Amino acid sequence: MTIGLGGTMLIIIHGWSDGASSFKSLARKLTSPGPDRLYSSEIRHLRLADYISLDDEIGYDDLVEAMQRAWIKEELPTAPRSVDVIIHSTGGLVVRHWLTNYFKPRTSPIKRLLMLAPANFGSPLAHTGRSLIGRAVKGWKGTRLFETGTKILKGLEIASPYSWSLAEKDIFAEEQYYGPGRILCTVLVGNIGYNGISALANKPGTDGTVRVSTANLNATKLDLDFTLAQESVAITGRRDHGSTAFGIADQEDHSSIAAKDGGPHRRSIWKLIREALKVEDSDFSKWQDTLTKHNQEVTQKAERRRGTHHDSYQNTVIRVIDNQGSSVQDYVIEFFVNDDSGRRNRHRTRLLQENVVANVHAWCDDASYRSFLVNCTELSKILDKESDDLNISITASPDIMNRPVGYRTYTDEDISTLCLDQNALRDLFKPNRTLLITMKIKRYQKDNVFQFKSIN
């Protein structure tokens, strides 16, 4: 949907299995007379611009190429920072891919980008979209019977290489796409699940569809080198991105935050939306600080509610490779407290496994990519002494003892352990964000894999 308003144009981009018509309510509230109005009610252009998201043959490359062609055909603004954009859900991946394909950070036509419940680092529901339920419920809406957009869903899946690669192109790139003088990006995401039968989709730390942590575009990326045998694990290649504004919309779900189903339910959310679409370069840093304070207040209230849904989580995505650069598909990441000896340490290690690592999901086509949903609220309770360390180790298969090639990870003497003291722990495990970790381990070959023999 596009709304041209004198010298300002606002473009609204929907998500997977949705359509532009779903956002008429949002457009009306932003443009009609009333307390929520942000733009003039004199609309010069109003277009419903749908994209196909339920065809199994369509991928993100197809979408962004078609988006660029449609953009040029409709003569939408192409001058730097000449248009504002609102996206919902998967629309965030589409617009970010489009930007990195066709524009440099200094030439982007977007000035303000408001992301409502974006799936920047995936959705825990994406892999269920290809299930029997997904095909029965969503498949009827596709251009082909029972199709749900397999290629799009694979990119939308938690821990997908697609979302990792996209992050490397925009938020971890040498030249920044976001921040004052570039794209002023604000992410807003709800923190409650759905009601009624749709509550089947609810997962801890989500708005019913996306995780609070995977919506946030501010993220960190680093490498862990476990190839140094008994030497300490090397932490290298760290990149931190914090150039976008991030806010948690308390008591809103994935639909209500986008003005669907009668939402947003709280007038304070409309204020956040309006501020995000008015912010200027000079006050963007202050806007970030305002949302950070807002999030602290929301989190304090939410964590007092019953159950773990409102706890604060980190989406920790781990990719394991060997020193040859090959993916390691079969591995286990082990978290333990101190040396895991003694009653207290062993009990807390058990609590880590049961209460802190809330979910582990391996990407469908490459199990070397896995998401570990870490409950930061519980983590701070379990490691409650300043002297407590969190240790992280890895065990991988095949084991060199039983195969001609493999890894040495099964005993403490085989591979080093990453030891995090309280300062490092607070630095690496932060609530409501994504941490991308590449772990590297050493692959070994027995002598009989290749031999030279003399002829007698």
Side-chain angles (χ1 to χ4, degrees):
M1 177 185 294
T2 63
I3 308 170
L5 308 157
T8 304
M9 176 170 284
L10 176 69
I11 297 176
I12 302 177
I13 302 175
H14 65 79
W16 174 75
S17 80
D18 210 338
S21 59
S22 297
F23 295 89
K24 287 182 178 180
S25 175
L26 177 61
R28 282 195 295 266
K29 289 185 178 182
L30 289 174
T31 58
S32 300
D36 301 320
R37 182 176 65 178
L38 177 63
Y39 295 94
S40 167
S41 60
E42 296 180 1
I43 297 176
R44 182 165 55 90
H45 298 293
L46 175 60
R47 295 190 288 273
L48 303 181
D50 290 307
Y51 65 87
I52 299 173
S53 62
L54 293 175
D55 189 300
D56 286 346
E57 294 303 317
I58 292 178
Y60 289 95
D61 287 326
D62 297 313
L63 288 178
V64 300
E65 186 172 329
M67 177 178 171
Q68 175 67 0
R69 189 167 58 247
W71 190 285
I72 299 302
K73 180 181 178 182
E74 295 297 322
E75 299 181 342
L76 299 181
T78 57
R81 311 188 81 202
S82 57
V83 64
D84 294 343
V85 173
I86 298 177
I87 66 87
H88 181 241
S89 197
T90 315
L93 297 174
V94 174
V95 77
R96 288 172 58 207
H97 191 152
W98 172 72
L99 282 168
T100 57
N101 260 33
Y102 294 100
F103 302 95
K104 300 295 184 182
R106 294 182 183 276
T107 65
S108 166
I110 299 177
K111 180 177 182 179
R112 301 179 188 88
L113 175 60
L114 173 57
M115 294 184 161
L116 300 176
N120 282 317
F121 289 96
S123 165
L125 299 185
H127 65 283
T128 65
R130 296 191 305 276
S131 69
L132 178 61
I133 293 177
R135 291 193 177 275
V137 175
K138 295 293 186 182
W140 291 101
K141 298 181 181 179
T143 56
R144 300 177 183 175
L145 191 61
F146 298 122
E147 294 196 6
T148 58
T150 298
K151 290 183 178 180
I152 293 175
L153 286 175
K154 284 187 177 183
L156 185 59
E157 189 175 336
I158 292 290
S160 77
Y162 172 75
S163 61
W164 185 305
S165 174
L166 188 55
E168 290 180 330
K169 292 177 181 177
D170 67 347
I171 67 173
F172 297 123
E174 290 298 326
E175 192 175 3
Q176 285 288 318
Y177 277 85
Y178 307 100
R182 304 297 173 87
I183 301 172
L184 301 176
C185 177
T186 300
V187 172
L188 298 178
V189 61
N191 65 353
I192 62 170
Y194 299 117
N195 289 317
I197 194 169
S198 296
L200 288 169
N202 293 343
K203 303 291 182 184
T206 74
D207 67 355
T209 295
V210 302
R211 293 173 178 170
V212 175
S213 55
T214 60
N216 191 357
L217 197 53
N218 292 326
T220 292
K221 176 178 176 289
L222 56 85
D223 301 330
L224 298 179
D225 190 347
F226 283 82
T227 66
L228 306 177
Q230 280 303 293
E231 299 179 33
S232 61
V233 177
I235 302 177
T236 61
R238 177 162 179 165
R239 300 293 298 272
D240 295 282
H241 174 78
S243 300
T244 60
F246 171 72
I248 302 172
D250 195 27
Q251 299 292 299
E252 302 293 344
D253 62 36
H254 193 71
S255 293
S256 67
I257 197 172
K260 297 192 288 185
D261 300 331
H265 302 309
R266 282 164 170 70
R267 297 210 55 79
S268 59
I269 307 307
W270 277 117
K271 181 179 179 181
L272 295 180
I273 289 174
R274 293 171 65 239
E275 291 301 315
L277 293 172
K278 292 194 305 180
V279 68
E280 296 289 348
D281 293 332
S282 58
D283 55 6
F284 190 73
S285 179
K286 182 179 179 181
W287 171 234
Q288 288 179 295
D289 293 340
T290 297
L291 285 180
T292 297
K293 182 180 179 180
H294 164 85
N295 294 339
Q296 291 170 348
E297 295 172 353
V298 168
T299 298
Q300 289 174 0
K301 293 179 182 178
E303 289 184 344
R304 289 196 294 267
R305 295 170 186 149
R306 181 177 299 178
T308 60
H309 185 95
H310 291 93
D311 285 352
S312 298
Y313 296 85
Q314 176 175 273
N315 176 48
T316 310
V317 182
I318 296 177
R319 176 197 177 206
V320 180
I321 61 173
D322 60 32
N323 58 303
Q324 299 176 357
S326 299
S327 297
V328 179
Q329 302 280 330
D330 190 355
Y331 65 88
V332 174
I333 303 297
E334 298 157 337
F335 298 86
F336 57 95
V337 177
N338 300 322
D339 58 1
D340 196 34
S341 64
R343 183 175 179 180
R344 177 183 180 275
N345 291 340
R346 294 179 67 84
H347 176 64
R348 276 162 170 70
T349 295
R350 175 183 172 182
L351 293 177
L352 277 178
Q353 307 301 329
E354 293 179 350
N355 300 336
V356 173
V357 184
N359 178 268
V360 179
H361 177 77
W363 187 61
C364 60
D365 287 349
D366 185 349
S368 68
Y369 287 87
R370 300 183 192 178
S371 167
F372 296 76
L373 184 63
V374 176
N375 187 325
C376 295
T377 304
E378 288 296 319
L379 182 62
S380 63
K381 294 177 182 178
I382 293 170
L383 277 73
D384 56 350
K385 290 185 176 181
E386 194 62 29
S387 59
D388 282 336
D389 294 335
L390 174 66
N391 291 284
I392 302 175
S393 187
I394 180 172
T395 301
S397 183
D399 178 44
I400 188 65
M401 295 296 293
N402 303 313
R403 300 290 297 273
V405 297
Y407 311 106
R408 290 178 179 155
T409 60
Y410 274 81
T411 70
D412 293 339
E413 291 74 28
D414 286 334
I415 193 169
S416 54
T417 297
L418 177 66
C419 181
L420 302 175
D421 62 19
Q422 286 290 336
N423 289 330
L425 189 65
R426 287 187 285 266
D427 179 51
L428 286 188
F429 290 92
K430 294 183 177 179
N432 305 319
R433 67 123 184 221
T434 289
L435 171 65
L436 303 179
I437 301 175
T438 298
M439 287 187 177
K440 183 167 69 174
I441 62 176
K442 188 173 182 179
R443 185 176 179 88
Y444 296 86
Q445 305 82 31
K446 289 184 176 178
D447 291 342
N448 63 0
V449 170
F450 194 106
Q451 301 180 73
F452 290 100
K453 297 183 178 180
S454 59
I455 299 176
N456 296 325

